[in-house]
């Protein structure tokens, strides 16, 4: 799931707008057994042709454009890939990539570490700033690896797609995602259908090719362009599914891979069921946050029990539904702001602080935090683009139910016990029911010859990517190791300070060493007010 994907603008839910010799000499073809099983022979050959071409061309590294916000010594460049790998000599697009060289010696260098933060729709271009920003968690690894980021196809600087005017996308207030009547449902269905139509009108030529397997092929072309025989990869959230598909299609091209906060790659889970499972997990993590707020009542004065905190949330929600705060913050915008708490522990204090101020009479703090900023046209364009890519990839990766009765039944049932995110999530994904482009069959993620041991990291109570996803991938990738962070649920574990995890990440990337068996770590430190 896209990192903070629903947080960008609460989504659709409430918006509705919510070379044969070259190949032999430069790169080995992907695993034929995997590709043939999935009818991807032409794409496999196309990927090999594109990778050979990229290996020959390399990347012309230059200082990054000034408006990209990536200062020297970070460098930027472009990698050319085919839109459709079945036609590798057809239309091409350029993918933006950036890098910073390893900070150690030439002898220390072990290659490039390529990063994807999730989404679909997230940009990895900020990854090298972990080095320039001297992030202590990555000091050891950065001595050995170039840090490489990229904008996936359709994202940011890489032939970006769009579904609606960005300023319209962020306008508020949007309709309450929780329907009170059948008329409310019809209105949301109309918005979802119009959004899908907008995607077709604005980005139709790209939509059939906006798939995870194609992004995995792009990743292999980037590997080749970097001059790397094998890929070192770090994927978080949706980036874990991208990694799982890459490992299935290109097992012999992987050197080391860490997947953090794992999407369940089971075909039956991609993507309709995945979003239903999210609703359940979000409710659990929302309650964890409420328990923490209650335990810190001395700081926040929101109640000494979960029930008391929930009561204040429901009152706030009802107030905003009746009269949007500042005329712009209704229930949809509230969810867009508050959902960051069950996503990330780093949001626990900021969200509770704004909530506390509201209850104490400071409404403006909440308006400032939850309302869109129409003057931030660049940020709004980025949000709209991220949501467009999220929708395009999830809709294209798999076949979705087209019968409204199925959506209505499943979400009505879930909303009874898991009301925090259920309907907002449903409306965000509903465009997939009327998607105007081809929907594919997900890759069967599994181990093929050449796949190296993979390190899987997961917190037990993750809301965006429930724990079962890590267990499923662990079973599918032989010789993988699973690190479980117990009693924790923050999304994106490798970015947190927890020596039990940090030291094992370093050991794996620097030496290839894994524990003989799976490991359970104590949780990272709980946020303090």
């Amino acid at each position: 799931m896209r990192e903070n994907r629903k947080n960008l603008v609460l989504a659709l839910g409430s918006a509705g707008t919510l070379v044969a010799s070259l190949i032999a000499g430069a790169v080995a073809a992907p695993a034929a057994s995997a590709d043939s099983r999935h009818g991807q022979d032409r794409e496999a050959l196309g990927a090999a042709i594109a990778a050979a071409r990229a290996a020959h061309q390399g990347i012309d590294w230059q200082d990054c454009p000034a408006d990209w916000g990536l200062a020297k010594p970070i460098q930027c460049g472009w990698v050319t890939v085919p839109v459709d790998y079945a036609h590798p000599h057809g239309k091409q697009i350029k993918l933006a990539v950036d890098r910073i060289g390893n900070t150690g010696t030439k002898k220390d260098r072990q290659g490039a570490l390529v990063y994807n933060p999730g989404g679909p729709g997230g940009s990895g271009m900020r990854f090298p700033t972990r080095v320039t920003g001297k992030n202590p968690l990555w000091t050891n690894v950065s001595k050995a690896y170039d840090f490489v980021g990229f904008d996936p196809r359709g994202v940011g600087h890489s032939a970006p797609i769009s579904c609606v005017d960005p300023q319209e996308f962020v306008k508020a207030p949007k309709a309450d995602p929780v329907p009170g009547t059948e008329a409310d449902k019809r209105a949301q269905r109309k918005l979802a259908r119009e959004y899908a139509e907008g995607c077709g009108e604005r980005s139709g030529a790209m939509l059939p090719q906006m798939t995870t397997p194609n992004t995995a092929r792009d990743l292999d072309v980037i590997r080749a362009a970097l001059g790397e025989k094998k890929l070192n990869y770090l994927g978080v959230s949706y980036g874990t599914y991208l990694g799982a598909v890459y490992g299935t299609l290109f097992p012999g091209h992987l050197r080391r891979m860490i997947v953090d906060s794992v999407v369940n790659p089971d075909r039956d889970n991609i993507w309709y069921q995945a979003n239903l499972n999210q609703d359940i997990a979000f409710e659990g993590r929302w309650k964890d946050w409420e328990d923490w707020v209650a335990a810190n009542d001395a700081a926040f004065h929101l109640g000494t029990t979960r029930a008391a905190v929930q009561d204040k949330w429901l009152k706030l929600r009802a107030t905003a539904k009746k009269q949007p705060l500042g005329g712009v913050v209704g229930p949809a915008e509230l969810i867009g702001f508050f959902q960051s708490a069950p996503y990330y522990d780093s949001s626990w204090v900021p969200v509770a602080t704004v909530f506390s101020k509201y209850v104490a009479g400071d409404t403006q703090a909440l308006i400032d935090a939850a309302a869109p900023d129409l003057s931030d046209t660049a940020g709004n364009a980025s949000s709209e683009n991220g949501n467009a890519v999220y929708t395009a990839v999830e809709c294209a990766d798999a076949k979705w139910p087209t019968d409204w009765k199925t959506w209505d039944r499943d979400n009505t049932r879930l909303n009874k016990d898991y009301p925090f995110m259920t309907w907002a999530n449903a409306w965000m994904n509903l465009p997939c029911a009327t998607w105007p482009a081809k929907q594919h069959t997900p890759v069967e993620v599994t181990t093929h010859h050449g796949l190296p041991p993979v390190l899987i990291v997961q917190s037990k109570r993750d809301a965006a990517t429930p724990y079962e996803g890590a267990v499923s991938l662990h079973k599918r990738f032989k010789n993988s190791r699973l690190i479980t962070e117990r009693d924790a649920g923050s999304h994106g574990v490798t970015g947190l300070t927890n020596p039990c995890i940090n030291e094992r990440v370093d050991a794996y990337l620097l030496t290839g060493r894994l524990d003989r068996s799976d490991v359970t770590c104590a949780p990272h430190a709980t946020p303090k007010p």
Side-chain angles (χ1 to χ4, degrees):
M1 315 310 153
R2 183 149 66 93
E3 186 172 332
N4 223 7
R5 66 179 174 80
K6 304 180 184 89
N7 206 18
L8 290 172
V9 180
L10 193 219
L12 221 354
S14 16
T17 51
L18 233 236
V19 117
S21 60
L22 270 177
I23 295 169
V27 63
S33 59
D35 288 328
S36 59
R37 261 198 294 270
H38 303 296
Q40 295 169 340
D41 293 321
R42 292 179 66 191
E43 287 89 349
L45 179 59
I49 292 171
R53 194 162 51 207
H56 178 70
Q57 294 173 345
I59 301 172
D60 182 17
W61 295 110
Q62 305 282 344
D63 292 343
C64 300
D67 60 350
W68 288 16
L70 299 165
K72 291 190 291 187
I74 298 173
Q75 296 179 303
C76 291
W78 302 94
V79 175
T80 300
V81 300
V83 172
D84 181 355
Y85 279 93
H87 299 91
H89 302 293
K91 184 179 179 180
Q92 311 285 307
I93 56 174
K94 293 183 179 295
L95 305 182
V97 294
D98 66 343
R99 72 167 182 183
I100 189 167
N102 73 302
T103 61
T105 65
K106 287 185 177 180
K107 187 177 179 181
D108 291 330
R109 188 179 181 276
Q110 295 191 39
L113 178 62
V114 183
Y115 173 71
N116 181 272
S123 168
M125 297 289 281
R126 299 294 299 172
F127 186 51
T129 66
R130 296 189 185 185
V131 182
T132 56
K134 301 187 185 308
N135 185 317
L137 296 181
W138 299 95
T139 299
N140 294 330
V141 173
S142 66
K143 291 177 182 178
Y145 291 93
D146 305 344
F147 277 27
V148 175
F150 72 104
D151 276 345
R153 59 172 54 208
V155 176
H157 307 293
S158 298
I161 67 168
S162 172
C163 291
V164 68
D165 178 80
Q167 295 298 96
E168 288 296 319
F169 179 71
V170 302
K171 274 187 179 178
K174 307 185 193 316
D176 185 347
V178 179
T181 65
E182 289 300 315
D184 290 342
K185 294 178 182 178
R186 287 194 295 271
Q188 292 282 18
R189 291 172 63 190
K190 181 174 181 289
L191 289 173
R193 186 171 60 253
E194 290 172 348
Y195 184 85
E197 292 169 352
C199 295
E201 292 168 1
R202 297 169 73 99
S203 305
M206 282 286 288
L207 297 186
Q209 306 301 330
M210 289 294 297
T211 66
T212 300
N214 275 343
T215 302
R217 296 177 184 113
D218 293 344
L219 188 56
D220 200 59
V221 177
I222 291 172
R223 171 202 59 74
L226 290 167
E228 302 289 339
K229 291 185 177 180
K230 294 197 175 187
L231 178 74
N232 303 289
Y233 177 77
L234 170 62
V236 182
S237 192
Y238 164 79
T240 67
Y241 184 57
L242 175 58
V245 172
Y246 183 89
T248 300
L249 298 182
F250 303 93
H253 292 186
L254 264 178
R255 180 174 177 265
R256 289 174 192 156
M257 180 164 72
I258 297 178
V259 285
D260 170 4
S261 305
V262 182
V263 171
N264 186 339
D266 189 285
R267 278 175 154 182
D268 292 337
N269 190 62
I270 305 297
W271 285 102
Y272 179 74
Q273 188 62 44
N275 284 281
L276 297 178
N277 293 340
Q278 255 195 338
D279 301 335
I280 298 170
F282 259 100
E283 197 72 29
R285 195 60 179 162
W286 171 251
K287 291 176 179 177
D288 289 349
W289 177 74
E290 289 183 322
D291 287 339
W292 174 85
V293 171
N296 289 280
D297 184 61
F300 302 118
H301 313 294
L302 291 168
T304 58
T305 64
R306 179 200 298 170
V309 177
Q310 176 72 359
D311 183 61
K312 286 184 173 62
W313 158 251
L314 293 176
K315 287 182 178 178
L316 166 59
R317 203 184 182 291
T319 298
K321 181 178 177 67
K322 185 177 181 180
Q323 179 86 39
L325 310 180
V328 289
V329 177
E333 290 70 34
L334 289 177
I335 294 173
F337 172 65
F338 276 84
Q339 69 181 354
S340 64
Y343 251 113
Y344 308 112
D345 288 10
S346 60
S347 293
W348 281 18
V349 173
V351 172
T353 299
V354 169
F355 193 11
S356 178
K357 287 181 178 180
Y358 169 81
V359 171
D362 180 2
T363 302
Q364 192 60 44
L366 181 53
I367 295 172
D368 291 343
D373 179 1
L374 293 177
S375 69
D376 182 17
T377 54
N380 297 337
S382 178
S383 295
E384 191 279 326
N385 169 239
N387 196 83
V389 176
Y390 164 81
T391 309
V393 174
E394 294 213 354
C395 292
D397 267 358
K399 294 173 176 61
W400 289 68
T402 57
D403 180 6
W404 166 245
K405 289 182 179 179
T406 300
W407 292 75
D408 195 19
R409 177 200 67 209
D410 292 344
N411 288 281
T412 298
R413 173 178 54 83
L414 278 179
N415 185 67
K416 292 177 181 178
D417 295 319
Y418 313 102
F420 180 68
M421 282 299 301
T422 294
W423 277 113
N425 213 4
W427 303 128
M428 182 177 184
N429 293 288
L430 188 59
C432 294
T434 57
W435 198 239
K438 181 179 180 179
Q439 296 181 323
H440 302 261
T441 299
V443 168
E444 181 63 46
V445 171
T446 189
T447 299
H448 293 297
H449 178 71
L451 183 73
V454 171
L455 180 58
I456 303 169
V457 188
Q458 178 80 31
S459 63
K460 195 69 181 286
R461 296 185 61 77
D462 191 309
T465 53
Y467 184 72
E468 293 73 23
V471 175
S472 176
L473 183 60
H474 187 25
K475 291 177 180 177
R476 291 166 180 272
F477 275 1
K478 294 178 180 178
N479 299 318
S480 61
R481 288 291 180 270
L482 171 60
I483 301 176
T484 300
E485 187 183 30
R486 63 174 172 80
D487 303 326
S490 198
H491 191 59
V493 179
T494 54
L496 304 173
T497 300
N498 186 334
C500 178
I501 296 170
N502 306 144
E503 292 169 5
R504 287 177 166 85
V505 167
D506 278 6
Y508 173 70
L509 288 175
L510 295 175
T511 72
R513 190 176 71 246
L514 291 171
D515 291 271
R516 292 185 177 181
S517 59
D518 295 340
V519 175
T520 297
C521 291
H524 62 275
T526 302
K528 294 182 179 180

